[in-house]
Amino acid sequence: MPGKKFKNIFYLLLVICLITIVSSFYAFDFIELDPAVNWTMKYFALPILILMIPLSYIIYQKFIRQNEKKRYLSGIFVFFRVFILTIGLSIVLIGTTLSLIILSNGYLGASQSITINTTVIEYEITGEGIRKGPTKHYIKINVPQVDRLVELKVDRAYIIGEPFIKTMNIGKWGLLYSND
């Protein structure tokens, strides 16, 4: 019975992580992603990976291995399975961490509203085509109020030099976002 309880808790946590990841990217129409991605990779990715190595081994030994129909005697098979589990869980937790930074930026604490009146410096589109996933638009603008070059995920295509006038918020972590 402990295995079934663990399985239910594991799947519940996995679903919560996936909902967090998906909701963070649909919560805002405009969002500054670069600093959040950089923070996640710089401060959280390696600790998550290091934590997942022994945790994945324990999960494999205590719960997955018991349900395998074929017993692997070679250590290379166990290593490979633990390695794949470690990478998979790390990716989910890194994505969840990034999403939590984005969501907490917008929903924790008071946000400062600013009006940006600038021009688009760069424009990039990703995911065009049938097999590359959903189309995403990114622009780079110079925002004098925060004194930096900002890359925003936006909801439509822009032309370089096109005016960008938008009332946005500066959230808890200093990232720009907008809900409209």
Side-chain angles (χ1 to χ4, degrees):
M1 206 61 173
K4 186 169 176 86
K5 184 177 179 180
F6 170 80
K7 184 178 175 183
N8 291 337
I9 291 171
F10 179 78
Y11 285 139
L12 178 65
L13 290 175
L14 187 62
V15 167
I16 290 170
C17 287
L18 294 176
I19 289 171
T20 302
I21 291 169
V22 170
S23 67
S24 70
F25 288 98
Y26 287 103
F28 306 105
D29 293 330
F30 296 83
I31 184 74
E32 181 183 13
L33 290 176
D34 274 355
V37 171
N38 291 340
W39 297 336
T40 302
M41 298 313 288
K42 185 175 181 180
Y43 299 113
F44 297 105
L46 186 58
I48 287 171
L49 181 63
I50 290 170
L51 180 67
M52 284 298 104
I53 293 170
L55 191 59
S56 294
Y57 182 76
I58 291 168
I59 290 170
Y60 177 76
Q61 288 294 336
K62 296 223 181 245
F63 302 104
I64 296 175
R65 193 171 198 176
Q66 294 175 1
N67 297 321
E68 288 180 337
K69 292 180 180 165
K70 183 178 179 183
R71 295 286 176 204
Y72 297 101
L73 300 177
S74 172
I76 192 74
F77 289 110
V78 172
F79 173 79
F80 180 72
R81 289 172 169 263
V82 171
F83 177 76
I84 295 299
L85 184 61
T86 300
I87 297 301
L89 290 177
S90 295
I91 289 170
V92 169
L93 287 179
I94 288 169
T96 303
T97 302
L98 172 62
S99 298
L100 288 173
I101 290 171
I102 291 169
L103 290 171
S104 65
N105 178 69
Y107 295 118
L108 288 182
S111 297
Q112 177 187 359
S113 182
I114 61 171
T115 300
I116 299 171
N117 187 356
T118 188
T119 58
V120 175
I121 298 171
E122 289 182 34
Y123 169 73
E124 181 182 343
I125 187 168
T126 62
E128 259 189 335
I130 296 171
R131 296 189 176 145
K132 295 185 182 178
T135 301
K136 296 178 184 172
H137 306 278
Y138 299 92
I139 61 170
K140 282 191 181 175
I141 56 174
N142 189 12
V143 181
Q145 291 95 327
V146 294
D147 195 29
R148 68 177 184 263
L149 187 65
V150 172
E151 182 175 346
L152 293 174
K153 177 183 163 278
V154 294
D155 59 352
R156 68 172 181 89
Y158 282 84
I159 300 169
I160 295 175
E162 180 179 344
F164 182 82
I165 302 168
K166 185 81 178 152
T167 300
M168 297 189 74
N169 298 311
I170 301 174
K172 172 86 173 163
W173 310 118
L175 305 176
L176 294 172
Y177 71 94
S178 175
N179 289 335
D180 47 84

